[in-house]
């Protein structure tokens, strides 16, 4: 029973001593302690194990128990002292509360006394200041009345003076007085219910109305009506002279009446321009059939001059629809479309050719008045466009007639091929027309003028350039086999004469100039026209036409030189190469080819000095034409003996060296040939050399010959192999077995684009080549 009671007591004690976390935290903050017995999570077992960690420590158990008992007695003493000290706390608290209540009652009484005294003081202050407030109100009302009476006096006097000055037309004094009256009248807006004040306001409004009508009447009287009727275009300059005089009179008589920020003179000029544009549009619409191009250009020139005068005289700040025309910066070039353009004030717009060489004019500043009057001429610019169509047609016909009368250009071997003078004249005329039209309109008339330009660019290309290209003929004084064998070098002549070659080069240079200048023309037209119309300007077709002329000229030059070499190649194929007994100098046909090259190429090069890239094209096209033709004639040389093959190899090497030197042949200045041209010559002539080396190689044993052929030529074509067998003079029976072996020995074609070509450039001679071929090479080097 005792044990059960003790357990119940312990549980009740634990329940009483179980504190909340907040209370436990507060206790720890007030009474901080490091003693394990004070911890909320105290564990007796752990504490005992701490005191007696080992069995040997149990020997001190009595000492530990005595310390704990001592601590218990001290705690009991502390608890009794605290409990006894709390017995008097309740009595002391009641006494302190009573004393606080008495103090509050005393404080309340003092506050009530202070409030009563404050109310008495406020009542006393009100009685003292009552009279002072009445005096302040009286003073304020009196001041307002005096100010209002003064304003009323000023208003009444100002209205009387305003009416009197208006009758006497004293506008200078009226301007200042009216502004003052209006300022005074603003103070009486809240008094408009008073009849006298309302009457004064009505008198001011009536004076303003009368003053405005009177000033307008004075101005109408000041500007006379005579001369205001719009005359025909031939008298348009008189109208501009009239407004200039009126503006001068206005400045002298009335300029000081208006503030400068009103810009009255400019407004008068702008209104005059609007009226003039409207009236001119009406009269030109009525008399459209009477408008001639010279009359139209005269009126436009006088109008643009007047617009330029306005731009110098006024700033254009009153314009609402003015447009600024920005001119391009001048560029240093001989191209007419890259030169300085004339100012808007055109001195003369006549269509005669005499103004082509007029001096350049400085760039004009931006003109905000441009088009303010001259816009009315735009619907009638078809007269100008038709005139330009007619003038350009006559100009082209004159070019054709002059070319026929003067003949082709003279040979020019010093300064390069000359551009036909008619070409420069045409584009200078184009430039003048473009500038004129852009100053008149940047809309549809510019598109119409562009169409005219396109028409006559094509006509120039057809009639002047293509129409005068030399015609190829068969009677060119060709070579004969006998002349070649006899080495009569002086008897060969080219199909084209020297003059015809120069003409071809001149036409080519002219076409190249036209091509570049047409591109500049297109760019300038796009700059001049409205941005919404730029897509409609396209001169690509005309540029293609000039490109075609260039290609045709180069092709004719190539055909001429190529045809001059044909008799020599024919003579080569007809020679008895199996009868050649020894290797000598180069054959007569090689000398003939070289002669023609030395005759034609320097002339062409000198006359194409200004268009070097097209001379390079000529060289490339000639190489691409001559080398395949040479190889074709080489296959016709059959049968060929060993010595004959050696002679042909020597000839081929000579031609190769001449072709490599072709771009600078006969020139004092030696230039390195372009890499693209050198590559073509080396590739083609090396193939010709390889063919001859295969022909020279012994055909037995067959396997060695076939492998040598495949290695040297890398040609898998049986037709080419057949031609080489024919050149060697082999019989058909021998060729059959060799063809079969050739087909068997052919390597598998490689994949990819590289395997599509049957030609390849290899090293000159393999190690397996016979000593005879090595000997031939040494002979060639020695002779060179």
């Amino acid at each position: 029973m005792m044990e059960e009671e003790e357990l119940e007591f312990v549980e009740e004690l634990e329940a009483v001593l179980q504190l909340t976390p907040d209370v436990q935290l507060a206790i720890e903050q007030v009474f901080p302690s490091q003693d394990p017995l004070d911890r909320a999570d105290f564990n007796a077992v752990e504490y005992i194990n701490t005191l007696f960690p080992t069995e040997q420590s149990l020997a001190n158990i009595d000492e530990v128990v005595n310390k704990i008992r001592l601590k218990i007695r001290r705690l009991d003493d502390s608890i009794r002292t605290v409990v006894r000290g709390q017995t008097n706390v309740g009595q002391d608290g009641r006494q302190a509360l009573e004393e606080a209540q008495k103090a509050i009652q005393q404080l309340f009484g003092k506050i009530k006394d202070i409030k009563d005294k404050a109310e008495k003081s406020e009542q006393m202050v009100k009685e003292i200041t009552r009279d002072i407030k009445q005096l302040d109100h009286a003073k304020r009302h009196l001041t307002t009345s005096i100010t209002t009476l003064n304003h009323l006096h000023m208003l009444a006097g100002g209205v009387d003076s305003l009416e009197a000055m208006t009758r006497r037309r004293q506008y200078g004094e009226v301007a200042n007085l009216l502004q003052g009256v209006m300022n005074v009248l603003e103070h009486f807006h809240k008094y408009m219910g008073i009849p006298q004040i309302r009457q004064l306001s009505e008198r001011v409004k009536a004076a303003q109305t009368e003053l405005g009508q009177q000033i307008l009447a004075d101005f109408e009287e000041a500007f006379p009506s005579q001369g205001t009727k719009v005359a025909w275009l031939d008298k348009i300059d008189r109208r501009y002279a009239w407004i200039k005089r009126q503006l001068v009179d206005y400045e002298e008589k009335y300029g000081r009446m208006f503030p400068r920020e009103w810009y009255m003179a400019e407004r008068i000029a702008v209104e005059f321009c609007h009226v003039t544009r409207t009236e001119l549009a009406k009269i030109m619409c009525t008399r459209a059939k009477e408008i001639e191009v010279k009359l139209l250009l005269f009126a436009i020139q006088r109008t643009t001059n007047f617009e330029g005068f306005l731009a110098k005289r006024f700033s254009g700040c009153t314009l609402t629809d003015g447009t600024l025309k920005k001119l391009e910066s001048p560029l240093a070039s001989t191209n007419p479309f890259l030169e300085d353009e004339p100012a808007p004030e055109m001195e003369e717009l006549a269509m005669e050719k005499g103004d082509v060489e007029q001096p350049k004019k400085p760039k004009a500043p931006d003109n905000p008045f441009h088009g303010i009057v001259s816009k009315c001429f735009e619907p009638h610019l078809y007269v100008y466009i038709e005139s330009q169509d007619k003038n350009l047609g006559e100009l082209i016909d004159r070019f054709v007639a002059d070319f026929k009368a003067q003949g082709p250009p003279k040979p020019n071997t010093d300064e390069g091929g000359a551009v036909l003078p008619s070409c420069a004249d045409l584009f200078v005329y184009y430039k003048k027309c473009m500038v004129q039209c852009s100053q008149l309109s940047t809309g549809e008339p510019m598109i119409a003028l562009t169409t005219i330009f396109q028409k006559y660019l094509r006509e120039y290309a057809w009639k002047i350039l293509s129409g005068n290209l030399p015609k190829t003929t068969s009677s060119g004084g060709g070579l004969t086999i006998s002349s070649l064998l006899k080495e009569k070098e002086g008897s060969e002549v080219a199909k084209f004469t020297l003059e015809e070659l120069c003409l071809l080069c001149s036409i080519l240079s002219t076409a190249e100039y036209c091509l570049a200048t047409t591109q500049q023309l297109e760019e300038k037209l796009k700059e001049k026209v409205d941005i919404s119309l730029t897509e409609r300007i396209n001169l690509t077709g005309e540029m293609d036409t000039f490109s075609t002329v260039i290609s045709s000229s180069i092709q004719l030059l190539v055909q001429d030189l190529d045809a001059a070499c044909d008799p020599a190649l024919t003579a080569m194929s007809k020679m008895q190469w199996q009868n050649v007994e020894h290797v000598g100098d180069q054959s007569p046909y090689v000398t003939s080819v070289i002669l023609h090259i030395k005759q034609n190429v320097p002339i062409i090069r000198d006359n194409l000095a200004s268009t070097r890239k097209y001379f390079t094209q000529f060289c490339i096209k000639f190489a691409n034409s001559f080398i395949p033709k040479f190889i074709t004639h080489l296959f016709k040389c059959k049968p060929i003996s060993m010595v004959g093959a050696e002679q042909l190899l020597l000839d081929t090497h000579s031609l190769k060296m001449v072709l490599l030197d072709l771009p600078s042949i006969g020139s004092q200045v030696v230039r390195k040939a372009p890499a693209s041209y050198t590559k073509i010559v080396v590739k083609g002539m090396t193939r010709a050399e390889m063919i001859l080396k295969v022909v020279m190689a012994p055909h037995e044993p067959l396997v060695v010959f076939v492998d040598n052929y495949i290695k040297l030529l890398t040609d898998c074509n049986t037709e080419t192999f057949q031609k080489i067998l024919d050149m060697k003079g082999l019989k058909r029976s021998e060729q059959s077995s060799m063809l079969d072996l050739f087909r068997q020995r052919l390597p598998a074609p490689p994949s990819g684009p590289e395997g599509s070509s049957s030609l390849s450039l290899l090293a000159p001679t393999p190690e397996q080549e016979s000593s005879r071929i090595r000997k031939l090479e040494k002979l060639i080097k020695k002779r060179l």
Side-chain angles (χ1 to χ4, degrees):
M1 291 295 291
M2 289 298 293
E3 294 178 356
E4 293 179 357
E5 291 178 358
E6 290 178 357
L7 290 174
E8 291 177 358
F9 175 76
V10 172
E11 291 177 355
E12 292 177 359
L13 182 61
E14 290 179 352
V16 173
L17 295 177
Q18 190 68 28
L19 302 177
T20 62
D22 295 338
V23 175
Q24 185 67 34
L25 181 61
I27 292 173
E28 291 177 356
Q29 292 177 352
V30 176
F31 302 105
S33 175
Q34 300 295 331
D35 194 343
L37 295 174
D38 294 333
R39 296 178 61 86
D41 56 348
F42 174 73
N43 191 320
V45 177
E46 292 181 358
Y47 183 70
I48 293 172
N49 291 334
T50 304
L51 295 177
F52 306 103
T54 61
E55 293 180 1
Q56 289 78 5
S57 61
L58 292 176
N60 300 327
I61 190 170
D62 294 334
E63 184 182 353
V64 174
V65 170
N66 291 332
K67 289 182 179 179
I68 293 175
R69 286 176 180 173
L70 179 60
K71 191 172 185 178
I72 291 173
R73 283 197 299 271
R74 289 177 178 174
L75 286 173
D76 290 339
D77 293 340
S78 299
I79 291 172
R80 280 194 298 270
T81 302
V82 172
V83 171
R84 290 172 183 173
Q86 292 297 322
T87 55
N88 298 327
V89 171
Q91 185 177 357
D92 296 339
R94 285 191 296 271
Q95 184 179 356
L97 180 61
E98 290 175 358
E99 292 177 356
Q101 289 176 349
K102 291 179 181 180
I104 291 173
Q105 290 177 357
Q106 293 176 359
L107 180 62
F108 181 75
K110 291 180 180 181
I111 292 174
K112 186 176 181 182
D113 292 341
I114 293 172
K115 182 179 180 182
D116 294 339
K117 292 179 180 179
E119 289 177 353
K120 291 180 182 180
S121 299
E122 183 181 2
Q123 185 66 27
M124 185 180 298
V125 171
K126 286 182 179 179
E127 292 176 358
I128 294 173
T129 59
R130 181 181 298 115
D131 295 338
I132 297 176
K133 289 183 179 179
Q134 290 178 354
L135 291 174
D136 287 340
H137 285 299
K139 179 182 179 181
R140 183 166 57 253
H141 288 237
L142 181 61
T143 302
T144 303
S145 300
I146 294 173
T147 303
T148 303
L149 288 174
N150 287 334
H151 286 165
L152 181 61
H153 177 71
M154 292 170 60
L155 179 62
V159 172
D160 293 338
S161 300
L162 181 65
E163 291 175 345
M165 291 179 182
T166 300
R167 288 191 296 269
R168 292 194 297 269
R169 285 180 165 79
Q170 296 176 335
Y171 299 129
E173 293 80 359
V174 166
N176 296 325
L177 179 61
L178 180 60
Q179 184 64 39
V181 170
M182 296 302 297
N183 292 336
V184 173
L185 189 61
E186 292 179 357
H187 296 282
F188 291 93
H189 284 322
K190 55 185 176 181
Y191 303 117
M192 287 300 172
I194 302 174
Q196 290 81 359
I197 301 298
R198 185 169 60 252
Q199 183 180 4
L200 286 174
S201 176
E202 292 174 354
R203 288 175 62 187
V204 172
K205 293 180 180 178
Q208 284 182 293
T209 303
E210 181 182 358
L211 186 63
Q213 293 175 351
Q214 185 172 304
I215 291 174
L216 290 176
D218 289 346
F219 274 111
E220 290 177 356
E221 182 180 355
F223 287 95
S225 59
Q226 65 272 14
T228 57
K229 183 178 179 181
V230 178
W232 186 226
L233 299 180
D234 57 347
K235 302 296 190 301
I236 196 171
D237 52 343
R238 296 185 181 180
R239 180 171 181 82
Y240 298 139
W242 174 84
I243 189 60
K244 291 179 182 179
R245 292 194 302 270
Q246 299 303 321
L247 288 174
V248 172
D249 293 341
Y250 164 79
E251 291 288 350
E252 294 176 353
K253 295 179 180 179
Y254 311 104
R256 292 176 293 175
M257 293 184 180
F258 302 95
R260 295 188 60 179
E261 58 270 18
W262 286 15
Y263 302 104
M264 288 302 298
E266 180 176 328
R267 293 181 185 276
I268 293 172
V270 170
E271 183 62 23
F272 166 82
C273 292
H274 292 325
V275 173
T276 300
R277 184 178 69 241
T278 302
E279 296 301 324
L280 282 176
K282 291 180 181 179
I283 195 171
M284 284 192 295
C285 183
T286 304
R287 304 174 63 177
K289 295 182 179 180
E290 303 178 30
I291 299 177
E292 298 178 353
V293 64
K294 291 185 178 180
L295 180 61
L296 178 65
L297 293 177
F298 167 80
I300 293 174
Q301 184 256 331
R302 293 295 187 268
T303 302
T304 53
N305 284 346
F306 175 68
E307 292 172 350
F309 162 78
L310 294 180
K312 295 177 180 178
R313 179 64 178 80
F314 304 113
S315 64
C317 59
T318 63
L319 296 176
T320 57
D321 57 349
T323 56
L324 302 180
K325 294 293 182 180
K326 295 183 178 181
L327 302 179
E328 294 298 320
S329 300
L331 300 175
S333 173
T334 57
N335 190 310
F337 301 105
L338 299 179
E339 298 174 357
D340 292 338
E341 295 182 0
E345 297 81 14
M346 294 177 293
E347 294 296 334
E348 195 63 44
L349 292 179
M351 292 296 98
E352 288 75 15
K353 185 66 179 63
D355 61 349
V356 171
E357 300 299 331
Q358 65 184 23
K360 299 178 182 178
K361 299 180 181 179
K363 179 181 176 182
D366 295 335
N367 182 1
F369 293 92
H370 177 65
I372 191 171
V373 178
S374 56
K375 285 182 179 178
C376 65
F377 299 109
E378 185 168 335
H380 305 278
L381 288 180
Y382 67 89
V383 176
Y384 172 78
I385 301 300
E386 292 174 355
S387 173
Q388 296 308 313
D389 190 1
K390 179 181 178 182
N391 291 339
L392 282 170
E394 295 175 353
L395 188 63
I396 294 295
D397 293 340
R398 180 164 62 84
F399 289 161
V400 174
D402 291 346
F403 190 91
K404 292 180 179 179
Q406 298 174 3
K410 302 301 180 181
N412 186 358
T413 58
D414 295 330
E415 300 178 359
V419 175
L420 296 179
S422 59
C423 174
D425 293 344
L426 177 66
F427 282 105
V428 168
Y429 191 85
Y430 271 10
K431 176 193 173 182
K432 183 183 70 172
C433 295
M434 180 185 66
V435 173
Q436 289 175 353
C437 189
S438 66
Q439 291 172 345
L440 306 180
S441 170
T442 58
E444 289 295 333
M446 285 291 289
I447 301 298
L449 185 65
T450 301
T451 304
I452 299 298
F453 285 173
Q454 291 174 298
K455 173 183 176 182
Y456 289 102
L457 283 174
R458 292 191 296 269
E459 285 205 11
Y460 186 86
W462 295 333
K463 294 182 178 180
I464 307 299
L465 301 182
S466 296
N468 289 301
L469 287 174
K471 303 299 187 295
T472 57
T473 58
S474 58
S475 59
L479 304 179
T480 61
I481 299 177
S482 59
S483 64
L484 288 174
L485 296 177
K486 295 179 181 179
E487 299 185 24
K488 294 181 180 180
E489 299 179 357
S491 61
E492 298 95 343
V493 291
K495 289 191 175 182
F496 286 152
T497 63
L498 176 61
E499 290 75 13
E500 289 173 332
L501 286 177
C502 294
L503 174 60
L504 261 174
C505 295
S506 180
I507 290 176
L508 192 155
S509 300
T510 303
E512 191 266 343
Y513 175 84
C514 291
L515 175 61
T517 313
T518 301
Q519 184 177 2
Q520 294 291 337
L521 172 63
E522 182 184 72
E523 294 174 358
K524 284 296 182 181
L525 287 170
K526 288 183 177 181
E527 292 176 5
K528 297 295 183 183
V529 79
D530 292 338
I531 191 171
S532 59
L533 301 176
T534 53
E535 296 297 328
R536 295 174 59 183
I537 294 180
N538 187 354
L539 303 184
T540 304
E542 289 66 38
M543 288 187 276
D544 291 342
T545 301
F546 290 118
S547 297
T548 302
V549 174
I550 292 173
S551 300
S552 300
S553 301
I554 294 175
Q555 191 61 35
L556 284 174
L557 292 172
V558 171
Q559 290 177 0
D560 176 65
L561 183 55
D562 201 30
C565 298
D566 280 346
L569 297 180
T570 302
M572 176 191 76
S573 62
K574 293 184 178 181
M575 289 180 64
Q576 303 297 324
W577 293 104
Q578 75 276 16
N579 297 330
V580 177
E581 297 179 354
H582 61 276
V583 178
D585 293 332
Q586 62 187 23
S587 303
Y589 74 89
V590 176
T591 304
S592 177
V593 170
I594 296 175
L595 176 62
H596 285 298
I597 290 176
K598 289 184 176 180
Q599 287 177 345
N600 284 26
V601 173
I603 297 173
I604 296 172
R605 181 184 60 246
D606 294 340
N607 282 274
L608 294 182
S610 59
T611 56
R612 189 74 184 179
K613 61 179 180 179
Y614 293 118
F615 174 70
T616 302
Q617 289 187 19
F618 159 76
C619 295
I620 291 175
K621 287 188 176 183
F622 174 72
N624 282 327
S625 174
F626 175 80
I627 294 175
K629 185 181 293 187
F630 173 74
I631 294 177
T632 301
H633 283 77
L634 198 61
F635 283 130
K636 296 179 181 179
C637 298
K638 53 185 178 180
I640 303 176
S641 64
M642 184 65 67
V643 179
E646 292 177 353
Q647 181 64 48
L648 278 172
L649 185 59
L650 175 64
D651 296 341
T652 302
H653 191 81
S654 299
L655 287 174
K656 178 180 178 181
M657 294 297 103
V658 171
L659 290 176
L660 288 174
D661 190 45
L662 180 70
S664 60
I665 193 169
S667 174
Q668 296 179 354
V669 180
V670 179
R671 294 182 180 179
K672 186 177 180 180
S676 57
Y677 170 77
T678 303
K679 182 178 179 180
I680 293 173
V681 173
V682 170
K683 181 178 180 179
M685 296 305 290
T686 301
R687 174 173 169 78
E689 291 175 343
M690 293 300 107
I691 291 173
L692 292 172
K693 289 180 180 181
V694 172
V695 172
M696 292 166 58
H699 60 277
E700 290 182 355
L702 300 183
V703 175
V704 176
F705 176 77
V706 171
D707 290 344
N708 193 35
Y709 170 85
I710 295 174
K711 187 172 185 179
L712 290 177
L713 290 179
T714 64
D715 194 338
C716 300
N717 190 347
T718 56
E719 183 179 355
T720 304
F721 187 71
Q722 176 77 55
K723 292 179 180 179
I724 289 180
L725 297 180
D726 291 339
M727 293 173 69
K728 292 180 68 67
L730 298 179
K731 299 179 180 179
R732 291 295 177 179
S733 58
E734 295 176 314
Q735 294 182 13
S736 179
S737 59
M738 297 183 72
L739 286 171
D740 293 338
L741 180 60
F742 173 73
R743 295 186 184 98
Q744 295 174 6
R745 304 289 292 180
L746 283 179
S751 60
E754 295 180 357
S756 60
S757 176
S758 61
L759 300 179
S760 176
L761 299 180
L762 302 176
T765 306
E767 296 179 358
Q768 295 82 5
E769 191 174 11
S770 64
S771 60
R772 187 175 182 83
I773 297 179
R774 294 193 187 97
K775 182 179 178 181
L776 178 61
E777 288 182 347
K778 292 179 181 180
L779 177 62
I780 293 173
K781 293 179 181 179
K782 182 178 180 181
R783 291 182 177 278
L784 292 176

